[in-house]
Amino acid sequence: MRDFRRAPWRPVRDGVYVATLEPATVNVGLVVGADAVLLIDTGSSPEQGAGLADSVVELLGRAITHVVVTHWHFDHYFGLAGIPGVVSYGHESLRARLVGDDIDPEVIRRELGFDAADLVPPTDDISVVRAIDLGGRRIEILAPGAAHTDGDLCIYVPDARVVFTGDLVETSADPAVGPDSSLAGWSMALDGVLSGAGHADDLLFVPGHGDPVDAMAVAEQQAALASMWASAEDCFREGVTIDDVIADLNGPREHAWPFAAQHVVDILPHVYAELRRRGVTPRRGLPIASL
Ligand SMILES: [Zn+2]
C-alpha cells in the first residue's frame, strides 16, 4: 500500500505551499491565513485526501478548514471524500459529474481501490467568482470559462502573487486535451486569468502538473493552445482528415503544430469533435465545369 501520509510540502511564497503527489504527479496547494487553512486540490483517493489532512496538521499544527477543487478529474477531486468537516468549493458543473457517465465505479475500484459511492460533492458551488477571507488574507476563486474541462477553477492569492491554475497550465507535459475540453475557450480563459492577475513579472503560477512558472511561460502555453486550435480549424475547413494530418506529421509536408507529434495525434480527435459541435463545416470546392 502506498504511503499517502507523506506530503512533502514545500514553501513557494509566504504562507503558500505546494506538494506533489503520486500516482498522478499532481500539484496540490496550501494557503495559510490567520483564521483558516485552504487546501487546493485533494489527490486521487479518499485515503490520499485523509493523508493530506494529516500532513497539514503535522506541518502547521492546524487543520484544513477550506478546500477548492480545481476540476472534476480524479487526481484533483477524489481526495475530497477523505477530508470531512470542511467548507469545500467546486465549479457548479462538478456535481453533475457524480451522477453522469464520466465516473466509472468499475474503473475506480480497479485502478484506485475504493468505492465510487464514497465520493462527495463540494459543499459550495461556484459559477463565476468568489472571494474568501482566510483571516488577514483574501483569496479569489475564478471560473474563467470552458478550457481544460467545462468547469475549471483558478485560485488567486493577491498578497503572495500566486495563481493556482489547475490543469489550465501544465509544465511537465503538453496540456491535456480530452473530450470534456474546449480548445476554443482555453486561450480566452488563460487571457482572463493572466489579465485578472495583472500579467506582472512577480506572479508565480502553480500548474496542475509540473514546476511553477512565470506569466511569460503561461502566455507561451496560451499561444500554443491558440495555435493548435487555429491549425486544426484550418485543416478541418480544408477537408484534411485526421489520418491525413497524422501522415503529414511524419512526412515531407509536416504541419507546424505547436505540440509534440504524438500529442497532436492524441488530441486531434477531440479538437475535430469540438469543431463539429460548433457547427464548423469543411469548405466544399466548387465543381469544376468540364469544357
Ligand atoms: Zn485534469
Side-chain angles (χ1 to χ4, degrees), residues 186-268:
W186 202 324
S187 97
M188 283 187 287
L190 281 176
D191 225 13
V193 174
L194 279 165
S195 47
H199 219 310
D201 290 342
D202 63 342
L203 282 168
L204 186 72
F205 291 82
V206 180
H209 304 266
D211 292 333
V213 288
D214 62 9
M216 184 64 79
V218 174
E220 281 169 14
Q221 190 153 109
Q222 177 193 19
L225 288 157
S227 161
M228 178 73 207
W229 175 248
S231 296
E233 186 175 5
D234 276 353
C235 286
F236 186 85
R237 283 190 190 280
E238 296 300 329
V240 179
T241 67
I242 291 176
D243 286 345
D244 291 340
V245 172
I246 292 171
D248 269 6
L249 282 171
N250 300 312
R253 293 189 299 125
E254 184 180 343
H255 205 287
W257 297 94
F259 299 127
Q262 185 58 52
H263 195 61
V264 174
V265 171
D266 291 344
I267 71 178
L268 203 59

Side-chain angles (χ1 to χ4, degrees), residues 1-7 9 21-23 28 39 41-56 64 74-84 108-109 111-116 118-120:
M1 179 58 67
R2 206 179 295 275
D3 181 6
F4 288 135
R5 308 275 136 192
R6 296 237 178 84
W9 292 106
L21 308 178
E22 300 303 339
V28 295
L39 177 72
D41 281 340
T42 61
S44 303
S45 66
E47 185 185 11
Q48 191 162 50
L52 269 177
D54 287 351
S55 75
V56 171
I64 296 165
F74 78 100
D75 45 337
H76 302 261
Y77 166 46
F78 286 4
L80 179 63
I83 314 172
I108 289 176
R109 172 153 304 287
E111 306 281 332
L112 299 168
F114 69 92
D115 186 345
D118 292 345
L119 294 173
V120 295

Side-chain angles (χ1 to χ4, degrees), residues 34-147:
D35 306 325
V37 175
L38 171 76
L39 177 72
I40 297 162
D41 281 340
T42 61
S44 303
S45 66
E47 185 185 11
Q48 191 162 50
L52 269 177
D54 287 351
S55 75
V56 171
V57 173
E58 202 174 295
L59 177 78
L60 302 173
R62 296 165 58 191
I64 296 165
T65 57
H66 295 69
V67 176
V68 180
V69 173
T70 60
H71 62 295
W72 72 276
H73 289 164
F74 78 100
D75 45 337
H76 302 261
Y77 166 46
F78 286 4
L80 179 63
I83 314 172
V86 295
V87 177
S88 55
Y89 303 90
H91 187 264
E92 61 184 357
S93 65
L94 193 151
R95 203 170 289 272
R97 298 286 180 183
L98 280 177
V99 292
D101 298 330
D102 299 300
I103 293 176
D104 183 338
E106 202 42 56
V107 172
I108 289 176
R109 172 153 304 287
R110 194 176 61 237
E111 306 281 332
L112 299 168
F114 69 92
D115 186 345
D118 292 345
L119 294 173
V120 295
T123 60
D124 287 49
D125 294 343
I126 305 241
S127 55
V128 180
V129 69
R130 178 88 66 97
I132 307 173
D133 184 359
L134 302 178
R137 168 168 257 180
R138 191 185 82 256
I139 65 113
E140 290 168 19
I141 308 170
L142 169 72

